[in-house]
Amino acid sequence: MIFDPRPCDLGEGPLWHPLRGQLFWFDITGQRMLSQHRGEALQWRFPEMVSAAGWVSRDVLLIAGERDLFLFDVETEETESLIELEADNRLTRSNDGRADPLGGFWIGTMGKSAEAGAGAIYRYYLGELRCLFKGISITNAICFSPDGRVAHFTDTKTSRVMRVALDAAGWPQGTPELYLDLTADPSGPDGAVIDAAGLMWLAQWGAGRVSAFAPDGTLVRQVEFAAPHTSCPAFGGPGLTTLFCTTALQGMDAAARAAYPQAGGTFALADVAQGQAEHQVLL
């Protein structure tokens, strides 16, 4: 089940690139992006923390950094800043993010020490960056229904996953409503992705699992991994039926690391469900 054993302090943001047939993911606090291609382990280091990405073309990714969204060519390593993201706030960084079905890119921020209410969620779409929701402590679970009409997100500290209707241009309309109330669960809702059937696959930090929930909030299935801090899932591989999941070493003491020697690695489980292709970001 281990896809890549390289340990990440804070593995996050897996992205299956549909044109390259290649998985990219991040070690946020390690300031690096990782990948594999034809059996070769790849790595790119950055001068600040990076957390999530969307694909723009075969070779170019939009990457969320601490203070901006920037374009990165994985072949030439050329970098171009696209738009500032809380550039004047040295206390925050980017966290969870994903492209929506219309080509917008949603990105959440949070305090570097998870300060209460320091984060927000933004959407970048056709050159415009707009703040959607403020006062969030740990932004996570950004994902979208197959028809593109509903967006989901969470503030991990609340243990509540929210959803909000989207208009024809992909912007939120109305007030977010409760989708999942996980306050009775000691784990924390982290990254999430929605498959082609509409099931949300949610990583639960501290529980070592990814749980699948139906649109009505019913728990359908749970998949366990050999690492307690499961952080974010993604579908990819042939037919988009492989469930990838990043994990983290953060918060684990020596005893916990000895008990879970694969913690921090990136996992893969084949033939789980039919995923959706990751959407292209439109500039």
Side-chain angles (χ1 to χ4, degrees):
M1 287 176 58
I2 191 74
F3 173 72
D4 191 295
R6 287 176 289 175
C8 293
D9 180 62
L10 185 53
E12 262 288 3
L15 167 74
W16 180 261
H17 196 310
L19 300 187
R20 300 179 67 92
Q22 185 176 352
L23 185 74
F24 296 88
W25 67 98
F26 296 87
D27 181 1
I28 297 179
T29 51
Q31 300 178 197
R32 57 182 180 152
M33 181 174 72
L34 299 90
S35 186
Q36 281 193 18
H37 186 56
R38 297 177 180 174
E40 180 184 2
L42 304 174
Q43 175 178 278
W44 296 266
R45 290 197 174 273
F46 296 90
E48 57 187 31
M49 287 186 275
V50 286
S51 67
W55 68 276
V56 175
S57 65
R58 184 189 181 279
D59 295 339
V60 177
L61 303 178
L62 180 153
I63 295 179
E66 283 186 39
R67 296 190 297 277
D68 67 347
L69 302 178
F70 63 92
L71 302 179
F72 182 74
D73 190 308
V74 299
E75 297 292 344
T76 67
E77 301 191 10
E78 292 182 27
T79 300
E80 177 187 346
S81 182
L82 188 62
I83 196 164
E84 290 186 343
L85 179 71
E86 298 186 359
D88 296 329
N89 191 345
R90 287 288 186 169
L91 299 178
T92 62
R93 62 166 174 83
S94 64
N95 198 48
D96 189 58
R98 190 179 299 277
D100 65 36
L102 290 180
F105 186 73
W106 292 49
I107 182 65
T109 61
M110 61 176 285
K112 292 178 181 177
S113 297
E115 292 87 350
I121 294 177
Y122 299 82
R123 184 187 188 222
Y124 173 83
Y125 182 56
L126 298 178
E128 178 187 2
L129 183 69
R130 188 186 301 180
C131 184
L132 306 178
F133 307 107
K134 297 181 179 180
I136 299 176
S137 299
I138 304 176
T139 53
N140 268 312
I142 293 173
C143 55
F144 308 92
S145 61
D147 62 10
R149 295 180 180 178
V150 180
H152 303 75
F153 65 91
T154 188
D155 181 342
T156 297
K157 281 193 173 181
T158 70
S159 293
R160 292 156 57 91
V161 181
M162 310 301 290
R163 62 185 174 193
V164 63
L166 304 178
D167 65 19
W171 297 105
Q173 56 180 359
T175 303
E177 64 179 20
L178 181 66
Y179 166 56
L180 296 175
D181 186 344
L182 301 174
T183 52
D185 192 314
S187 66
D190 209 304
V193 66
I194 294 180
D195 68 18
L199 297 183
M200 173 186 282
W201 295 80
L202 176 70
Q204 294 183 272
W205 180 278
R209 66 174 178 253
V210 173
S211 298
F213 296 91
D216 66 359
T218 303
L219 176 63
V220 176
R221 183 179 176 187
Q222 292 183 317
V223 178
E224 296 186 353
F225 295 94
H229 296 329
T230 41
S231 55
C232 192
F235 281 101
L240 302 176
T241 60
T242 296
L243 179 68
F244 296 95
C245 188
T246 52
T247 68
L249 289 171
Q250 197 171 81
M252 297 178 64
D253 60 20
R257 295 186 184 199
Y260 296 96
Q262 293 181 321
T266 299
F267 293 78
L269 186 61
D271 300 322
V272 173
Q274 176 71 52
Q276 302 182 76
E278 295 285 354
H279 301 287
Q280 181 181 19
V281 177
L282 302 180
L283 303 180

